[in-house]
Structure formats: structure tokens, C-alpha cells
Amino acid sequence: LELLEINPYDKSAMSGMMNANSALMEQYVKLMESEPDNKRVKIELARCYFYNFQYEEALELLEDLNPSREDMCDYYHIQGMIYYKMKKYEQSLEIFLKWKSFLEGVAYHTSRADYIHELKKFGYVNYLIGECYLELKDYEQASAVIEKNLSRNHRDKVRINESKCKLYFSEGKFPLCISTCEDLLKDVEDNYVAYLYLARTYFYMVDYDNTVFYANKAKEMCVYLPQPYHLLARLYIATEQLDKATEILDEFKKLTIYSDGVAFYEAQIMYFKEKYEESYCAVDKLISRYNARTSDYDEFKQLLLLKADRASSPHPKLLRQRMRLLWKKLLRLQTLNNYWEVKSY
């Protein structure tokens, strides 16, 4: 966990954490059998479930728990992060605001030594609050929280600058986004968020050489995250390099990780290769299985607006007409959006 605190994208640290987490989970399950009312054990087991992506099970343990003062920070942290990972950002924000209020109360009522200890958490809590506002697209509130976060903790400073990269990109302030990402890379040798947002920014500035360079840097740093592959595929499709786009998507598929975004771009390539029926069926399949809480391709939700006519026509001409209409609408939606949010990092 300490290694992941330094670099949350460290695959070896994540693997080690998952192995240790499984062993801990077995221990806490046994403890729960002998001590069913032990609140601390419930919180630790909920933490294990969280790291094992068993969010519903974790929430069930935390429901109506009424933790002690000593356990309150862990309780708010785990519960808030579960809602965040489930993309329930309103609930997550509510929990993190309660956590901040609790810390303010602790700081006011405790000794100076305890105050200094609790103060260290303020930077992290404010970072999480800012991230929620970003996800809710409330950029004014996000900016207010991020700019006021004056934590001196190095990891908090890195997080704050990561949030600034996302904020400036979301607001279309591309020069500020680039300079912030570059400052971030001066502070830390490698940073996935900086690489990804440099790539995204340069894409919208139609600087495709830098887009490819930074997307590949992000991909090399975190091979199992789909966002750089999505961006590269989109670039190659836009520049009519369909074979290169296919190569990038196949590279990710070799990791045996499913991605809605990868499937979406594959369907798009099928269409531009005039495989209309295959493309239509692939899009229809994506629409039918789409889950907003688990999808790695948030912009795909726009396809839900296009699912009124899902029956495949046996007549090739009519099928091509519907496919052209579908892609025309989708490409227009892409153009109207300020950017494509492709999350889960």
C-alpha cells in the first residue's frame, strides 16, 4: 500500500497488494465469525472487499456501522472511495465533505500534537473533494477547492497538480494544461496523468506527433489501462490509418482485459472498411450490454440515444443507410463535445 501511495499505477505493487489482500480477507472473515459486532474488523474487511473490487459487499458491512472516533477517518475514506469507484459521485462527495467536517472538528477540540497529525489528512481530503467536482463537471467548485489546497505534503502536491491537469483540459485551457503537466513531470520522473493529458491536449491541438509520443509514454507506464490505446486508435482512425488502429487495439486485447472502448473502436473500423453488417451488430451488442458504472468508455453513453432502431435489416442497402445515419449522429456528438472523457485511471 505504501508503494501504491507513491505510484498508484505500479502494476507489481498492485499485484502484491492483491495477493496480500486475499490473505487478509480470509483472516477477517474468520474473525467476523467469532466477533460479529467488532466494528474495527468490519472496517478492515470492508477495506479488503474494496481492494478486491467487491463494492456492494463492502458497503453492506459499513451500513449503519456508527464507528468510533478513532475509526471515523478510515470509515469515511473507504465508504467515499467505494461510491467514487462506482461512479456515484454525488454520494462520494457527500461522504468526503463529512470527512472534512469531522477533521475540522477534531482539529478544533484536540491538542496541538493531535491537530498536526490530523492536519496531514486535509490535503488528501480536499483533493478527493476536488476530484468529485471534476467528475460532476462542476469546474467552478473544482477550481475553488484545487486552488485553495495548500498542502505541503509532496504526494498531496502531486495529486493537486494532477487535478489541475484534468481541470485545465476540461475547461479547454490547453496552454495551462501543457505547462502544468510539464511542471508535474519535472517534480516526478514519470506520471501517468501528465502523459495522458499531454496526449489528449495535443490531440485537440492537432499536434499528432506529440499525441503519439505522450500516449505511448502513458501506455508504457501503465500497459493495462485502456485510455492511451483508445486515444491512439481514435487518432489513427481519424487519419485513415486503419491498420495501425487495429494493431493498437489488438495489442490491448492480448492483455485479455475487456474494454468497451476497444470494442467501440473496432466497430468503427469495421464501418470504415465497409463491413456494415458486422459494424452494426457490434454497435448493437455494445448498446445492449453497456453499464455506466463499469464501462471504461464514458462517452459511449451517447450510443444509448441511438438504440431505438436495433433490428438488423436483411437488405444491405437499408443496413448501410442506417449505419451511415448512426455514425453521422455519433460523429456529430463527438464534435459537439468539448472532449471525450475516457476514465478508470
Side-chain angles (χ1 to χ4, degrees):
L1 286 176
E2 289 179 4
L3 290 173
L4 286 172
E5 180 72 13
I6 297 169
N7 179 11
Y9 310 106
D10 188 327
K11 190 175 182 180
S12 60
M14 177 64 75
S15 177
M17 185 276 293
M18 291 293 289
N19 291 333
N21 187 62
S22 296
L24 280 172
M25 195 154 49
E26 290 180 12
Q27 293 179 25
Y28 287 125
V29 168
K30 289 179 180 177
L31 274 173
M32 278 286 294
E33 293 173 357
S34 58
E35 302 178 47
D37 297 323
N38 190 317
K39 295 179 181 179
R40 186 68 223 177
V41 172
K42 286 185 178 182
I43 289 173
E44 291 301 333
L45 183 55
R47 192 199 307 274
C48 290
Y49 281 139
F50 169 74
Y51 284 120
N52 209 43
F53 311 106
Q54 295 174 253
Y55 301 139
E56 297 290 351
E57 291 88 341
L59 283 177
E60 188 177 345
L61 280 171
L62 297 176
E63 187 177 6
D64 301 324
L65 187 61
N66 191 24
S68 65
R69 176 186 172 280
E70 289 76 16
D71 293 334
M72 197 66 78
C73 285
D74 286 335
Y75 172 77
Y76 282 138
H77 184 205
I78 297 166
Q79 190 179 46
M81 286 305 301
I82 291 168
Y83 283 126
Y84 185 89
K85 292 295 184 181
M86 294 174 74
K87 301 185 181 181
K88 295 183 176 182
Y89 302 119
E90 292 89 352
Q91 293 95 318
S92 182
L93 176 60
E94 182 182 350
I95 297 298
F96 291 142
L97 287 171
K98 286 181 180 179
W99 186 9
K100 181 180 179 180
S101 178
F102 169 75
L103 287 176
E104 289 170 344
V106 169
Y108 182 78
H109 291 291
T110 56
S111 67
R112 179 171 176 78
D114 286 339
Y115 172 74
I116 292 172
H117 175 73
E118 298 297 344
L119 186 63
K120 293 178 181 178
K121 299 187 179 78
F122 273 110
Y124 180 53
V125 176
N126 282 322
Y127 158 76
L128 292 173
I129 291 169
E131 288 290 293
C132 288
Y133 282 127
L134 280 173
E135 294 292 352
L136 292 168
K137 296 182 173 58
D138 188 342
Y139 301 131
E140 185 176 349
Q141 286 282 10
S143 179
V145 172
I146 292 167
E147 295 298 337
K148 290 179 181 178
N149 196 342
L150 303 177
S151 172
R152 296 181 181 180
N153 178 277
H154 180 261
R155 178 56 195 150
D156 285 341
K157 287 181 179 179
V158 171
R159 291 189 182 108
I160 293 163
N161 284 328
E162 288 176 347
S163 294
K164 286 181 179 179
C165 295
K166 300 172 191 176
L167 175 65
Y168 295 145
F169 177 74
S170 301
E171 294 179 323
K173 298 176 180 177
F174 295 153
L176 266 177
C177 181
I178 289 173
S179 63
T180 305
C181 289
E182 289 174 344
D183 288 344
L184 189 51
L185 290 171
K186 290 175 185 176
D187 192 34
V188 290
E189 186 175 351
D190 283 310
N191 185 278
Y192 174 79
V193 172
Y195 288 144
L196 181 64
Y197 279 86
L198 279 169
R200 287 177 170 176
T201 301
Y202 280 121
F203 179 83
Y204 280 93
M205 295 175 71
V206 200
D207 184 341
Y208 292 156
D209 287 340
N210 270 319
T211 302
V212 171
F213 176 78
Y214 285 110
N216 278 319
K217 293 285 283 185
K219 180 165 68 71
E220 289 164 9
M221 186 173 178
C222 303
V223 294
Y224 58 94
L225 293 181
Q227 288 75 34
Y229 300 85
H230 293 171
L231 183 58
L232 287 168
R234 186 184 176 195
L235 184 153
Y236 290 134
I237 291 170
T239 55
E240 300 182 1
Q241 301 179 70
L242 300 184
D243 289 340
K244 276 194 172 184
T246 300
E247 287 176 14
I248 287 294
L249 299 176
D250 286 344
E251 184 181 339
F252 184 79
K253 288 169 70 177
K254 287 178 182 177
L255 302 173
T256 65
I257 303 171
Y258 175 77
S259 163
D260 275 344
V262 168
F264 172 80
Y265 285 116
E266 284 185 320
Q268 202 171 26
I269 290 168
M270 291 174 198
Y271 172 74
F272 289 119
K273 288 187 173 182
E274 299 185 354
K275 298 179 180 179
Y276 300 118
E277 186 170 358
E278 291 178 49
S279 181
Y280 187 86
C281 292
V283 170
D284 188 64
K285 184 178 179 181
L286 276 169
I287 290 171
S288 65
R289 65 166 291 161
Y290 180 70
N291 184 330
R293 291 183 184 173
T294 59
S295 180
D296 63 358
Y297 183 58
D298 287 354
E299 204 61 32
F300 179 71
K301 63 191 174 185
Q302 301 290 357
L303 279 175
L304 297 175
L305 302 174
L306 308 174
K307 74 175 184 179
D309 180 11
R310 292 173 53 188
S312 177
S313 168
H315 196 293
K317 185 177 180 181
L318 292 177
L319 180 60
R320 284 197 297 274
Q321 287 174 349
R322 280 213 306 279
M323 279 304 304
R324 288 193 185 101
L325 179 62
L326 186 149
W327 284 115
K328 184 178 179 181
K329 287 182 178 179
L330 180 61
L331 291 171
R332 182 172 180 273
L333 286 167
Q334 295 173 5
T335 304
L336 289 174
N337 286 328
N338 290 329
Y339 65 100
W340 281 29
E341 286 185 323
V342 186
K343 303 277 179 17
S344 294
Y345 46 81

